[in-house]
Amino acid sequence: MLFNLINQEKLSTPHGRSELIAFFTTFFALIYHIAVLIIFGVLHVYPMFFFNIFSVSLFTVLLILIPKHQSYVLLYLIASVEVTIHQIFAEYCLGSYTSFKFFIFLIGTLPYLIFEKDFKISAVFTAITTLIFFTLCFVHFQTRYIQHPNVLLSFRMVNVILSLTMIIVVILLYTYVVHTVEEELKKHGDNLEKEIRLAAFIQQNFYRHDNVEIEGWEIAYYNRPLAGVSGDLYDFYETNDGVKGLGIFDVSGHGISSGLVTMLVKNIIQQEFNNLKDLELWEVMNTINDRVIAEKGKIQNYLTGILIRIKGNQLEIVNAGHPYPIVYRKQNEKASFIEKAGEYPGGSIGIAGFPVYYYSQFVTFARGDEIVLYTDGISDSENHEGERFITRAFMEQIDATALLPVNEQVKAINRYLKQFRSGKEINDDMTMIIMRKK
């Protein structure tokens, strides 16, 4: 039975660990009471002999009940009352010198391991047993059944040694449990890390864009996932006539779940952008929103984003709850936000039952003008003073690097962003796209 309890599946749960400790301590108590039953019979201490008949019966029943119970609080309290009465009665019969009281101290050390999450009960129980133990330390019982001094000494040594040994064994047993659980968690962690690396590899190849060229435009982009798999999505929509649009999107959450949603919505956005090229872009975004809601089902993630259609030197832009794009005008050498058009806020994508209002904005670009798209992993980055990157530094860096080639401009802004954070870890996926009119 004990060997069935010591397995990784059970040790990985709080209840399984509690069951192991409860079974072990009850089994130990049963063996102990059988032994003292025999000893008290040999010594003719009949009150303790008959009491231990009851004790052996009780612990046998408790041992049978342990695998059938979901909580061991009541069972342990029953066992503890018996142990407390037994030890006080034993000291009353054989005298305080025998040190039976140490078993009361022992039972007060175990509730935190057996009661799982019932820490308040554990604290009260430990306080009561500790109070009883120290009270008995100041109470002196004389021996009522005359025994040879060596017998009393033997009782004293055995009781102290058994109590300490039991504490040490429980500590070693729980150390083994913790080690086993840690090994299991490490194995699961290694497997999860491999799966994340595989998912990241698949996602990166799924999103891969080599040598993107847009007629009349220079373009550069940057993406850094927070945890291997990115919840940011950037894409370019290409036809036989070249790249006709692009999008940047940010799925709520982080990690694998948001990364899987990006792979779902990537196909939806790409299909609707190409199939509905005769409609205005705000109508395309409405269709995308409807499809995302329908196809992701009960998945809670939603996304924000910006969809752009390229028409020569003019861009048609639809913002779906995403951070405002930034436009740099070469004529006045100044960057500024493109704020949302329309009377109502646009709204995010993929939230069922939530009204959305998308609007198309048409922005014309002259030679040297550029548009900067980004996710909030960049704009919301903070320095040690709590200042957000979007507040001041982002605009200043766009202005300061606007004469560089766009590839170098992206690198320069990211180098400065790293300095701006001053060693603070990122807490979100980061994506940036810069398009400059030739």
Side-chain angles (χ1 to χ4, degrees), residues 16-262:
R17 295 191 288 272
S18 296
E19 183 179 356
L20 174 63
I21 300 298
F23 184 89
F24 177 80
T25 53
T26 305
F27 181 77
F28 173 86
L30 176 61
I31 298 301
Y32 169 80
H33 282 86
I34 292 173
V36 296
L37 170 68
I38 297 171
I39 293 171
F40 284 131
V42 172
L43 296 176
H44 305 295
V45 183
Y46 292 114
M48 290 304 302
F49 173 78
F50 291 114
F51 188 89
N52 274 275
I53 293 176
F54 163 76
S55 300
V56 169
S57 303
L58 175 65
F59 280 100
T60 301
V61 172
L62 293 178
L63 203 61
I64 295 171
L65 292 177
I66 282 175
K68 302 177 181 180
H69 275 250
Q70 294 300 313
S71 173
Y72 303 116
V73 174
L74 179 60
L75 299 183
Y76 193 76
L77 289 178
I78 292 172
S80 302
V81 170
E82 187 283 331
V83 170
T84 303
I85 295 173
H86 182 281
Q87 307 316 107
I88 295 174
F89 194 26
E91 290 209 0
Y92 176 80
C93 292
L94 296 180
S96 297
Y97 180 77
T98 51
S99 296
F100 279 95
K101 68 177 76 69
F102 277 93
F103 285 99
I104 299 174
F105 177 77
L106 169 63
I107 63 172
T109 62
L110 299 178
Y112 288 98
L113 303 182
I114 296 177
F115 290 179
E116 299 182 40
K117 298 178 181 179
D118 298 308
F119 295 127
K120 291 182 179 179
I121 299 177
S122 300
V124 173
F125 182 83
T126 301
I128 293 172
T129 53
T130 302
L131 179 63
I132 293 172
F133 170 76
F134 282 109
T135 300
L136 291 174
C137 288
F138 293 98
V139 175
H140 183 71
F141 293 111
Q142 296 292 334
T143 304
R144 282 166 172 75
Y145 288 82
I146 304 302
Q147 303 292 332
H148 192 280
N150 288 340
V151 173
L152 298 179
L153 177 61
S154 297
F155 265 117
R156 177 182 178 85
M157 296 302 297
V158 169
N159 287 335
V160 173
I161 291 172
L162 280 179
S163 298
L164 294 176
T165 301
M166 186 62 181
I167 292 174
I168 293 171
V169 169
V170 170
I171 291 173
L172 292 176
L173 184 62
Y174 216 74
T175 301
Y176 167 76
V177 170
V178 171
H179 174 73
T180 303
V181 173
E182 285 181 345
E183 288 295 314
E184 190 68 15
L185 290 174
K186 183 178 184 299
K187 185 169 73 173
H188 283 300
D190 291 341
N191 291 337
L192 181 60
E193 187 176 347
K194 290 178 183 177
E195 291 177 2
I196 291 175
R197 285 201 299 267
L198 177 60
F201 175 78
I202 293 172
Q203 188 190 51
Q204 288 166 8
N205 281 275
F206 191 61
Y207 295 164
R208 188 171 179 175
H209 300 288
D210 294 327
N211 302 318
V212 176
E213 293 184 3
I214 303 176
E215 184 179 356
W217 296 83
E218 297 177 67
I219 187 164
Y221 43 89
Y222 166 83
N223 172 255
R224 180 182 174 184
L226 173 65
V229 180
S230 178
D232 286 358
L233 166 65
Y234 63 97
D235 205 2
F236 302 93
Y237 310 115
E238 190 169 359
T239 66
N240 293 332
D241 299 327
V243 176
K244 294 301 179 182
L246 69 151
I248 183 170
F249 299 88
D250 185 359
V251 177
S252 62
H254 309 294
I256 292 179
S257 61
S258 59
L260 291 175
V261 173
T262 64

Side-chain angles (χ1 to χ4, degrees), residues 324-329 332 334-339 370 372 395 398-399:
Y324 299 132
I326 298 172
V327 168
Y328 173 83
R329 297 295 185 182
N332 56 16
K334 195 70 178 173
S336 60
F337 291 112
I338 300 180
E339 296 191 358
E370 62 185 32
V372 181
M395 294 287 196
I398 293 172
D399 292 342

Side-chain angles (χ1 to χ4, degrees), residues 425-437:
E425 293 294 326
I426 66 171
N427 55 16
D428 201 353
D429 305 311
M430 303 172 68
T431 303
M432 178 169 54
I433 302 174
I434 298 180
M435 282 180 57
R436 182 185 297 162
K437 189 71 182 75

